[in-house]
Amino acid sequence: MTNEDLLKLAMDLIAIDTTNPPGTQQEAVTYLKEYLEKRGVECSVETAGETPSLFAMIRRSPSTSKLCWIGHWDVVPSGPLDAWTITPPFVPVIRDEHLYGRGACDMKTGVAAAIAAALEWAEDPETSGGTLVLAILADEECGGVLGGEPFLPRYHKEFQFDYGLVGEPTGFDLKTARRGACWGTINFSGIQAHAARPDEGDNPIHKMGVAVVAMSNMVFTYDTSDPAPPTIAVTTARAGNKDNIIPHEATIGFDIRTAPSQSLKSIRSDLIETLQKAGLIMDTDYKLDLNWLADPYATDHPCFSQICSNAIRSVTGRTPSLCAKGGTSDGRFLAALGVPVLEVGLENTTLHKVNECCRVDSLISLKQIYRKIFTTLL
Ligand SMILES: [Zn+2]
């Protein structure tokens, strides 16, 4: 597959609006299925609700190692269209050696690079064994409930994967672990009153302010050997609807990225203790609700890591660092089943932003890296 073919595939994918939500579009999967089947690759479309995920399977005999490459076809919303100053989000262009458009780094380009590498690997007479499955999933940007969560376990049951490789943007570093995610809300109770008579009321916004300051400085209980420390961010605040009324309640929402040694129980007690030190008593001043969204994982597989590091170094000339930053990925659905999962992908400086882009030569490098990993592992 030529570099022009690779670029065209990436641009064709970017041109299909797959914004999630709603994330129910069929066009990208239909396009990819036709593209792959025309080139002799067996494909299966799995649907959850109205939402399709595509599995492309290359089984070679004798089947030795089995690798599942994981990517997604959905993209996040564009944001303000007039802020896209280079090109509209679904009109891909190349300017100054960069490819622009929504999905240019997260991650239509990663999907195109993996497909190109897989086709080259499949056609290479020098390689003989191994099985490669490309999981091009729906719903990654909304939690994977309609993509990775139902389908990766099912395909693992059928294939018994030895390795998982995620194509999310990593800046050509090697991601060996992912933190988990836990969302929460705190509802502060108060007594509504005239703002001119605050002593007759109980102001929940004042409690909310105390809590936000305490939470932004809080220290979690976790193991310092965890691959990355936990973080907390207060993300929503709602209270009041009139300037001269003390409201009767206030609510904040927050997002915690969890380390492997944390549990729902330890997070809950850390939060209660932090708020107690700030003078707020649970059930009297506030109610706490926590929702565990995603498990963290860490992969310790020196051989797999070495193969990926060597591939990155031989293509880019730079030794990748091992990292565990960022949010969650669909890799957790395989990691939870005991499959070693690593991640390598493009530069990650513009993901989810306006004017999303990647360097054209990065896209070509990524294809070469995947090709080397497929050849060495399988
Ligand atoms: Zn992504």
Side-chain angles (χ1 to χ4, degrees), residues 26-350:
Q26 308 283 325
E27 294 88 337
V29 165
T30 304
Y31 172 91
L32 284 174
K33 184 168 183 284
E34 278 178 25
Y35 189 94
L36 286 158
E37 284 181 342
K38 209 185 280 178
R39 289 159 179 81
V41 177
E42 177 191 355
C43 288
S44 242
V45 175
E46 304 291 349
T47 305
E50 294 170 48
T51 307
S53 293
L54 180 70
F55 285 79
M57 293 156 283
I58 303 171
R59 308 171 205 243
R60 304 192 65 170
S61 186
S63 187
T64 48
S65 297
K66 303 180 194 79
L67 168 66
C68 183
W69 181 90
I70 300 168
H72 61 89
W73 58 258
D74 59 329
V75 296
V76 294
S78 308
L81 286 179
D82 56 4
W84 286 78
T85 50
I86 308 290
T87 186
F90 304 108
V91 185
V93 295
I94 295 168
R95 172 123 18 124
D96 299 328
E97 294 164 27
H98 286 72
L99 168 59
Y100 284 87
R102 177 54 90 220
C105 74
D106 185 15
M107 56 169 290
K108 302 251 173 91
T109 40
V111 169
I115 288 173
L119 290 173
E120 287 184 10
W121 173 77
E123 287 159 9
D124 185 349
E126 301 284 304
T127 60
S128 58
T131 293
L132 174 60
V133 173
L134 304 181
I136 302 167
L137 300 166
D139 201 39
E140 195 279 339
E141 298 294 0
C142 286
V145 178
L146 302 175
E149 186 171 332
F151 300 127
L152 285 176
R154 193 199 294 174
Y155 273 74
H156 179 58
K157 205 168 173 193
E158 182 185 340
F159 283 91
Q160 293 296 310
F161 297 119
D162 300 294
Y163 308 99
L165 182 67
V166 177
E168 294 281 359
T170 65
F172 292 108
D173 281 330
L174 189 61
K175 198 160 276 190
T176 57
R178 284 275 191 175
R179 293 182 300 174
C182 177
W183 287 359
T185 55
I186 298 178
N187 184 265
F188 301 92
S189 52
I191 297 171
Q192 184 171 325
H194 195 297
R197 300 177 174 195
D199 51 312
E200 291 176 8
D202 180 18
N203 196 331
I205 297 180
H206 292 189
K207 295 179 193 175
M208 178 167 80
V210 167
V212 169
V213 171
M215 288 164 73
S216 64
N217 295 311
M218 75 178 285
V219 179
F220 285 105
T221 312
Y222 71 102
D223 194 331
T224 49
S225 66
D226 280 332
T231 53
I232 182 167
V234 177
T235 47
T236 61
R238 286 185 296 278
N241 52 20
K242 184 93 170 60
D243 288 345
N244 62 353
I245 297 175
I246 292 169
H248 78 284
E249 66 173 351
T251 305
I252 57 170
F254 55 93
D255 176 309
I256 299 168
R257 297 303 158 132
T258 66
S261 65
Q262 289 183 291
S263 65
L264 199 56
K265 201 171 160 214
S266 75
I267 289 169
R268 174 178 286 276
S269 72
D270 284 347
L271 279 165
I272 292 170
E273 193 187 318
T274 298
L275 296 177
Q276 198 158 5
K277 279 187 189 154
L280 298 169
I281 307 300
M282 192 162 77
D283 293 331
T284 305
D285 297 307
Y286 69 91
K287 288 202 169 14
L288 169 65
D289 189 31
L290 288 175
N291 183 13
W292 190 264
L293 283 186
D295 290 328
Y297 68 85
T299 293
D300 182 17
H301 194 301
C303 170
F304 185 21
S305 295
Q306 197 62 51
I307 286 169
C308 292
S309 288
N310 288 349
I312 296 168
R313 191 183 317 111
S314 74
V315 172
T316 65
R318 175 184 153 270
T319 302
S321 47
L322 307 183
C323 65
K325 285 188 207 136
T328 61
S329 84
D330 280 338
R332 70 188 187 275
F333 300 118
L334 273 192
L337 303 172
V339 181
V341 173
L342 296 175
E343 308 194 15
V344 58
L346 288 174
E347 58 256 45
N348 47 13
T349 45
T350 59

